[in-house]
Amino acid sequence: MAKNIIGKTIQMKRRRALNGPAPSLLAENGGDTRVTVLKIRGGVRLEGKVRVSGAKNAALTAISAAMLATSPVYLENMPQISDVLVMLDIIRLLGAEVSWDEPTVVRIVPPEHPGYDTPYELVKKLRASNLLLGSLLPRTGRAHIALPGGCNIGSRPMDLHIKGLGALGAEVELSQGYIKARVSNGLQGAKIYLDFPSVGATENLMMAAATAKGQTIIENAAKEPEIVDLANFLNAMGAKIRGAGTDVIKIEGVKALQGTRYAIIPDRIEAGTYMVAAAATDGDVTIENVIPTHVEPVTAKLKEMGVRVIEEDDVIRVISTGTRRPVDIKTMPYPGFPTDMQSQMMALLAVTPGVSMVTENVFENRMQLADELKRMGARIKIQGRTAVVEGIERLEGAQVRATDLRAGAALIIAGLVAEGITEIDNVHYIDRGYENLEEKFNGLGAGIWREIAK
């Protein structure tokens, strides 16, 4: 069994960071380009307890927002996943001091004069790098962000970001693969209507408006829990933001933001992944460190399928009796069913008797997973943005590839219920969003390990 290269890298980074600033993730990996695959032994029933880590998307936004502060920021419940490590490398190259004071606490000391040009080599690795637009512009008056990368799940244009920042007084252009923004006399509050409730655009505009002159009103804003978490974090630093979690957010600009200590919310998608895995394996799993209201759409669908879900303050227990009913899923912006849980649900429906419909209304490329599940014997027909899933009793282990982060999680669920061994390629996608994945699943009775690809 091969060593977990990414896991080893994270451990190295933690040890070094506790003693001071660490070099980049790429440098710490020692140039090791070996490719690992994830192997899963199927036919298990998950049982036991698992603890959810801090939310990936909230963590990445908080790292960016920390650059707005004029004194040190301490972020608790920070997941040690590859996306977070890359984002920390980016702000380090912009002049910030970064260290892990504890295994889940990151200390960020923003520079007095941050850089404004982000390196393509790192930015291409994650989509959230575009959030630096909203934090660098107020501090430096300029921001050059290489067009970001991440998972190939569909079109995620920057037009709403550009339109909103333009309304605040910034000059923004796309040039030579970069988003280049500048502002001459400081950002000015404005009334902004988003044509679509984009999470990223809402977050960028909240950060940019926090220290803009006057009032900013964002209409048709995204309502996701991560938006509320960002507002709470900014307010803890001295911002004046109201209405987060509704479709109208009002921001009164302040002169400056101060450092603070803040805990990232639990990852609702990680929690949902364990919930679906428990249901698929006819398991009995207790999920700790979760906010039940954040996963209500998943809970509702599991209950509709006949799965028992018990909610407490920060704990959810999922018990599957083995008798499930088909359901229809339609992804929508929050509080609708999350697009980031669509793939995991498709894997569950593939082994649920009857015919289910899965409609993807957010990202057009989410359906790439269907081809990989069909390699395992699933019966899925794609009709535009809708997948017709005819459930079968059991899948068969096969060699498959993760086409994106959540597809990778779905293939793990499929591997757990399949006969034989499933081998997943493109594991780097999974490492972007799940901390200690093998350890957590194996703690529930799974058999998951990594090997060097042949």
Side-chain angles (χ1 to χ4, degrees):
M1 187 180 301
K3 292 183 178 179
N4 176 343
I5 293 176
I6 292 293
K8 180 180 178 181
T9 301
I10 291 173
Q11 294 293 335
M12 291 171 62
K13 194 170 192 79
R14 179 189 298 172
R15 288 196 299 270
R16 295 182 187 180
L18 286 171
N19 296 314
S24 73
L25 169 64
L26 298 177
E28 286 200 353
N29 207 15
D32 195 336
T33 59
R34 292 179 297 175
V35 176
T36 59
V37 295
L38 203 64
K39 289 197 171 184
I40 304 164
R41 182 177 295 106
V44 301
R45 180 177 188 266
L46 298 183
E47 292 183 273
K49 296 181 179 180
V50 63
R51 185 173 179 83
V52 172
S53 299
K56 175 182 87 80
N57 293 330
L60 295 173
T61 309
I63 292 170
S64 177
M67 294 293 283
L68 289 165
T70 57
S71 53
V73 171
Y74 295 82
L75 294 173
E76 301 175 357
N77 201 30
M78 180 67 68
Q80 295 211 21
I81 53 179
S82 62
D83 266 17
V84 162
L85 298 183
V86 172
M87 194 70 164
L88 291 174
D89 275 344
I90 292 174
I91 66 166
R92 182 187 288 110
L93 291 175
L94 293 172
E97 294 181 17
V98 178
S99 61
W100 292 88
D101 279 15
E102 299 173 30
T104 61
V105 179
V106 169
R107 178 175 181 265
I108 298 172
V109 183
E112 184 176 354
H113 301 289
Y116 61 84
D117 201 344
T118 60
Y120 172 73
E121 182 181 20
L122 291 177
V123 169
K124 69 180 180 180
K125 293 178 178 292
L126 74 162
R127 184 72 185 181
S129 55
N130 63 26
L131 294 172
L132 288 164
L133 280 169
S135 59
L136 292 181
L137 261 180
R139 290 293 311 278
T140 69
R142 302 178 70 180
H144 291 182
I145 311 293
L147 287 173
C151 291
N152 180 26
I153 56 177
S155 177
R156 292 184 279 186
M158 294 295 296
D159 58 324
L160 296 179
H161 303 248
I162 294 171
K163 177 182 175 182
L165 291 172
L168 294 175
E171 299 176 10
V172 189
E173 65 174 348
L174 297 178
S175 176
Q176 299 178 320
Y178 276 77
I179 303 169
K180 297 183 178 180
R182 68 168 59 234
V183 60
S184 301
N185 299 312
L187 297 171
Q188 305 288 329
K191 187 174 183 178
I192 303 168
Y193 178 83
L194 297 178
D195 295 329
F196 178 82
S198 162
V199 174
T202 301
E203 291 170 335
N204 251 332
L205 296 176
M206 288 170 63
M207 288 186 284
T211 55
K213 297 176 183 177
Q215 183 186 72
T216 296
I217 299 176
I218 306 173
E219 297 182 331
N220 198 30
K223 305 175 186 177
E224 273 74 1
E226 292 79 12
I227 297 294
V228 177
D229 201 48
L230 173 60
N232 290 339
F233 176 43
L234 291 172
N235 286 341
M237 290 196 292
K240 296 180 179 179
I241 302 174
R242 295 178 292 131
T246 74
D247 59 359
V248 178
I249 299 176
K250 295 182 179 180
I251 305 167
E252 300 289 342
V254 297
K255 288 186 177 181
L257 299 179
Q258 305 298 320
T260 188
R261 193 175 189 96
Y262 188 79
I264 303 298
I265 58 173
D267 196 312
R268 61 192 173 101
I269 305 303
E270 182 187 1
T273 299
Y274 294 127
M275 292 171 69
V276 172
T281 62
D282 295 333
D284 182 350
V285 175
T286 298
I287 303 155
E288 301 175 332
N289 191 36
V290 60
I291 301 175
T293 56
H294 289 179
V295 293
E296 278 183 350
V298 179
T299 298
K301 284 300 174 182
L302 290 179
K303 287 183 176 180
E304 186 179 339
M305 296 178 73
V307 176
R308 189 181 177 194
V309 181
I310 304 171
E311 301 177 15
E312 297 180 8
D313 290 341
D314 60 351
V315 173
I316 290 179
R317 183 180 178 186
V318 177
I319 307 170
S320 180
T321 61
T323 302
R324 296 189 301 273
R325 298 183 293 270
V327 296
D328 293 342
I329 303 290
K330 292 183 179 180
T331 65
M332 298 289 288
Y334 191 86
F337 194 88
T339 180
D340 280 352
M341 283 301 303
Q342 182 257 94
S343 296
Q344 298 92 313
M345 284 298 296
M346 186 183 291
L348 170 60
L349 296 174
V351 289
T352 297
V355 177
S356 301
M357 307 277 283
V358 178
T359 302
E360 175 56 55
N361 292 310
V362 181
F363 294 123
E364 65 271 19
N365 288 348
R366 286 283 196 197
M367 295 299 178
Q368 296 178 91
L369 169 68
D371 288 335
E372 301 306 310
L373 290 176
K374 287 194 283 187
R375 290 176 58 83
M376 302 177 72
R379 297 175 184 171
I380 304 174
K381 293 182 180 179
I382 304 298
Q383 300 174 352
R385 287 197 172 198
T386 298
V388 181
V389 185
E390 181 183 351
I392 60 177
E393 184 176 347
R394 187 173 295 277
L395 300 173
E396 297 178 352
Q399 289 184 317
V400 292
R401 65 184 180 92
T403 54
D404 62 73
L405 167 57
R406 306 308 173 185
L411 291 172
I412 290 173
I413 294 171
L416 290 172
V417 299
E419 291 182 353
I421 303 294
T422 296
E423 180 178 306
I424 304 176
D425 194 10
N426 284 354
V427 181
H428 63 278
Y429 280 126
I430 302 173
D431 289 326
R432 291 186 52 222
Y434 291 91
E435 182 179 42
N436 299 328
L437 179 138
E438 295 100 309
E439 292 86 344
K440 289 185 178 182
F441 268 114
N442 289 342
L444 297 174
I448 303 178
W449 68 96
R450 298 193 188 210
E451 290 184 0
I452 301 297
K454 296 179 180 179

